[in-house]
Amino acid sequence: MTSYLKPGSARTIAVIGGGAVGVATASFLLREGHDVVLVERGGIGEGASFGNAGVLAPSSVVPMSMPGTLMKVPGYLLDPLGPLSIRWRYLPTLAPWLARFVKSGTRERVQAQARALKPLLDDSFSAWLPLVRHAGNEALIRREGFLAVYRSEADFAGDALGYQLRRANDIPFEVLRGPELWAFEPAISRDYTIGVLFRQCGHTINPNRLVRTVANAFQRDGGRLIQARALGFAVEGGRLRGIETDAGLVPAQAAVVACGAHSRPLAAGLGDNVPLDTERGYHVLIADPEALPARPILDASAKFVSTPMETGLRMAGTVEFAGLEAPPDWKRAARLLTLGRRLFPGLAPHHPEARVSRWMGFRPSMPDSLPVIGRASACAEVVYAFGHGHVGLASAARTGMAVADLIAGRPPALDLAPFAAARF
């Protein structure tokens, strides 16, 4: 059986998953002086990290399930341009997750969830900065703010609790109306009359290149990459011997599960049956767009984000529940293109196919919008770091710092109790 143990190494840590969370975690562990091996079955940054909206938003403390969300679901499902889709064949599988999702949306619970997310997302731009700077490409992240826009006062009023949660967690924002909004962001349609500006937020101009750049620095500094699919763990007497993969055993004295939507079977093998499911997200990107905002913009009425990227204008979002196996529904991407043209009237009504690219990926989602971060039940030498949902990129660096603290035996800088696998 193949062995990847580095000669002369006293302690090897295997990080499973080459997305934003896994790469950030591996990088912080390497800084601690560990021998770190990154196990990824595909390409670095090619999963959910490839196609997300690229926003580094401390403002994203508002959970997905909120009081009143259930009442909106039928309207979302019936609207061909709506933000939610469920493949009905998948509904029996999804039902337990949906029940927990609804249960998580009480006022008391969302207040607790927002408090938990606050330190995990805190100044996510600055959390990424040392890794990007060390990798020699600080220009990949920019702090231009984040703007949410609404078409009506009624839509804005519908999000009142979300803004209460932000105020309660000391997240500053400014409300812009009418001419003030249009002067600040001239690219948007005048049909949008209210904007909420979060100046402390940032974004990356290419999420995939950000993750790959940090991974390259990880390898340059002595970290190792193995292309293999993790199958489980070799544990003897409660102690970890290594990671079992389709390429052989990867010996390790500690491990991190950070493989996003594919993490659930690995956690189950260690005694933790976590309710992780998959929100399939889509994006469409227009190269050389006729209109380009200066910063990411959330169309809060239609629930999608448009981000200026180095490759063009990316419109990302939607939630589709269909599991990991069903083929993509490219009508979801077409919806984003329609909505993007509504938000930015300067865009051409039609674009040549050569200028339009489409993508679908798997967003690892927990019903309470909180990731799983902490030690495995059956083996304390395995640490979980998955299920970040819509905030994976924004929370990746602070997740990596917390995992490095756990591996080192230090108290983490943030309270990990709300993220425990056993909370369900």
Side-chain angles (χ1 to χ4, degrees):
M1 183 173 285
T2 306
S3 174
Y4 295 98
L5 187 62
K6 188 177 180 180
S9 173
R11 183 170 167 84
T12 297
I13 302 171
V15 177
I16 305 169
V21 174
V23 168
T25 299
S27 299
F28 282 115
L29 287 168
L30 191 68
R31 288 179 165 216
E32 299 269 329
H34 301 293
D35 170 40
V36 186
V37 54
L38 189 59
V39 181
E40 167 55 50
R41 66 180 186 175
I44 293 294
E46 294 294 331
S49 296
F50 180 89
N52 62 58
V55 183
L56 303 174
S59 58
S60 297
V61 298
V62 180
M64 293 299 294
S65 181
M66 294 278 283
T69 297
L70 183 62
M71 301 298 293
K72 299 177 183 178
V73 168
Y76 289 156
L77 294 176
L78 292 172
D79 182 357
L81 295 179
L84 174 65
S85 174
I86 298 175
R87 303 272 183 102
W88 298 113
R89 290 182 181 178
Y90 193 66
L91 188 56
T93 300
L94 183 64
W97 189 97
L98 285 176
R100 288 188 171 104
F101 178 79
V102 173
K103 188 177 179 180
S104 297
T106 66
R107 182 176 289 266
E108 181 179 345
R109 290 185 178 184
V110 300
Q111 289 171 342
Q113 291 154 17
R115 285 195 299 271
L117 286 170
K118 159 69 175 176
L120 188 64
L121 293 166
D122 190 42
D123 199 359
S124 49
F125 180 92
S126 295
W128 269 105
L129 190 58
L131 296 180
V132 181
R133 183 176 287 159
H134 180 70
N137 205 335
E138 191 173 334
L140 277 170
I141 58 174
R142 299 177 181 176
R143 199 195 290 264
E144 302 288 348
F146 178 49
L147 182 66
V149 296
Y150 296 84
R151 293 168 64 87
S152 71
E153 288 284 351
D155 285 348
F156 180 46
D159 280 351
L161 178 56
Y163 292 107
Q164 291 174 22
L165 293 175
R166 293 180 177 104
R167 287 192 189 96
N169 287 283
D170 300 319
I171 296 169
F173 58 87
E174 306 164 36
V175 179
L176 311 176
R177 282 186 165 85
E180 186 181 11
L181 169 63
W182 305 327
F184 182 75
E185 189 50 80
I188 66 169
S189 166
R190 299 306 186 261
D191 291 335
Y192 294 81
T193 59
I194 302 169
V196 180
L197 174 62
F198 301 93
R199 292 190 184 272
Q200 80 277 27
C201 294
H203 74 282
T204 175
I205 58 174
N206 190 324
N208 173 252
R209 197 157 74 86
L210 170 67
V211 175
R212 286 191 291 110
T213 296
V214 174
N216 288 341
F218 163 79
Q219 291 180 271
R220 178 198 68 198
D221 295 342
R224 294 175 291 132
L225 173 63
I226 296 172
Q227 188 168 18
R229 179 171 176 258
L231 303 174
F233 302 91
V235 179
E236 291 183 0
R239 303 299 300 271
L240 183 70
R241 287 185 51 246
I243 311 301
E244 296 169 345
T245 80
D246 59 1
L249 181 71
V250 179
Q253 287 75 55
V256 182
V257 179
C259 48
H262 304 280
S263 301
R264 185 173 182 172
L266 294 174
L270 292 172
D272 295 300
N273 185 21
V274 294
L276 177 72
D277 212 291
T278 302
E279 294 179 36
R280 295 145 64 97
Y282 291 79
H283 88 219
V284 61
L285 185 139
I286 304 173
D288 301 317
E290 298 82 6
L292 193 68
R295 57 195 53 79
I297 297 180
L298 166 67
D299 183 331
S301 301
K303 312 298 184 189
F304 76 99
V305 177
S306 299
T307 305
M309 299 278 181
E310 63 181 358
T311 50
L313 176 61
R314 175 178 294 182
M315 289 157 283
T318 82
V319 171
E320 180 188 44
F321 288 105
L324 291 167
E325 304 299 331
D329 177 4
W330 293 118
K331 293 178 183 177
R332 306 296 295 167
R335 164 197 178 268
L336 289 169
L337 193 55
T338 299
L339 292 170
R341 288 176 176 141
R342 186 178 76 176
L343 177 59
F344 302 110
L347 291 175
H350 303 284
H351 292 92
E353 280 299 306
R355 286 176 55 197
V356 179
S357 60
R358 299 166 181 84
W359 172 89
M360 187 276 288
F362 302 106
R363 186 185 297 124
S365 294
M366 299 294 291
D368 60 357
S369 297
L370 301 180
V372 177
I373 308 172
R375 298 188 186 278
S377 296
C379 183
E381 289 144 348
V382 179
V383 176
Y384 299 139
F386 61 83
H388 293 74
H390 292 254
V391 298
L393 184 70
S395 60
R398 295 217 181 275
T399 296
M401 295 176 193
V403 171
D405 286 337
L406 284 176
I407 296 290
R410 298 187 299 263
L414 59 144
D415 179 13
L416 295 183
F419 309 114
R423 68 184 184 269
F424 294 96

